[in-house]
Amino acid sequence: EVQLLESGGGLVQPGGSLRLSCVASGFTFKNYVMNWVRQAPGKGLEWVSAISGSSGSSYYADSVKGRFTVSRDNSKNTVFLHMTRLTGEDSALYYCARPPGLGVWGQGTTVIVSS
Amino acid sequence: DIQMTQSPSAVSASVGDRVTITCRASQGIGNYLAWFQQKPGKVPKRLIYDASTLQSGVPSRFSGTGSGTEFTLTISSLQPEDSAVYYCLQHTTYPHTFGQGTKVEIK
């Protein structure tokens, strides 16, 4: 069974940093681009970032470019999202998702940015 | 970046009604369009991919059409369990972009 399991969320102060993880199972991880999508409370879905299977290419939404870094460890079937200079607008439920067409999602991990 | 304009933002309809949601892309995206359903507190669930292919296990009352810049999701006969927010997603280029969402309510 294909599964994605996020972790690493929590409460962080404005300006702080946090690293999210997403462990994959049930498929050949290295063959897939992996995405991060977030949803602020009561708001819509926002695509955040993606990384190619080989880590050769990464992509970001304008709202996080320069602050967030996506990476992966194919030996551990894990994709990471390193978030820095966090603000309240980054508070959200963060999902990892797998193509094609984001057909597979994890359960999400919650990030709260607050003093 | 490609913008996805979804309409309406909300719709209230009766059980058995036909409901149509539209997404318009700011430039052509081929058929790289998916539709998602999200119920409160739940993970988004993909209903349609490649603009018109029904995800396995999704009821046949859901259908998707379109290509290029105009796409529609149709619920042919609305059921109580269809109350949810629906989103379109373009995944032809990065950044991927979602529509703003359509809240479907049952009268």
Side-chain angles (χ1 to χ4, degrees), chain A:
Chain A
E1 181 188 3
V2 174
Q3 286 191 327
L4 300 172
L5 183 62
E6 304 91 337
S7 62
L11 175 64
V12 60
Q13 292 190 337
S17 300
L18 206 58
R19 189 181 78 161
L20 307 183
S21 301
C22 170
V23 178
S25 60
F27 62 98
T28 305
F29 180 71
K30 66 180 180 179
N31 290 348
Y32 286 85
V33 170
M34 294 299 296
N35 295 260
W36 288 95
V37 176
R38 70 183 180 182
Q39 187 169 37
K43 302 297 185 182
L45 300 170
E46 180 187 17
W47 178 88
V48 173
S49 182
I51 184 167
S52 65
S54 64
S55 301
S57 299
S58 56
Y59 310 90
Y60 300 93
D62 287 344
S63 58
V64 306
K65 201 172 293 183
R67 300 187 300 121
F68 290 12
T69 303
V70 63
S71 62
R72 64 192 294 160
D73 183 342
N74 286 342
S75 70
K76 296 181 178 179
N77 285 3
T78 303
V79 59
F80 304 97
L81 187 67
H82 186 211
M83 307 182 295
T84 66
R85 291 185 280 141
L86 288 163
T87 74
E89 293 188 348
D90 298 313
S91 294
L93 181 58
Y94 284 74
Y95 297 100
C96 63
R98 195 206 79 174
L102 302 191
V104 181
W105 294 59
Q107 293 298 308
T109 187
T110 299
V111 172
I112 300 172
V113 183
S114 175
S115 56

Side-chain angles (χ1 to χ4, degrees), chain B residues 27-38:
Chain B
Q27 62 190 78
I29 61 170
N31 68 338
Y32 290 94
L33 191 286
W35 289 98
F36 293 83
Q37 176 194 65
Q38 188 179 32

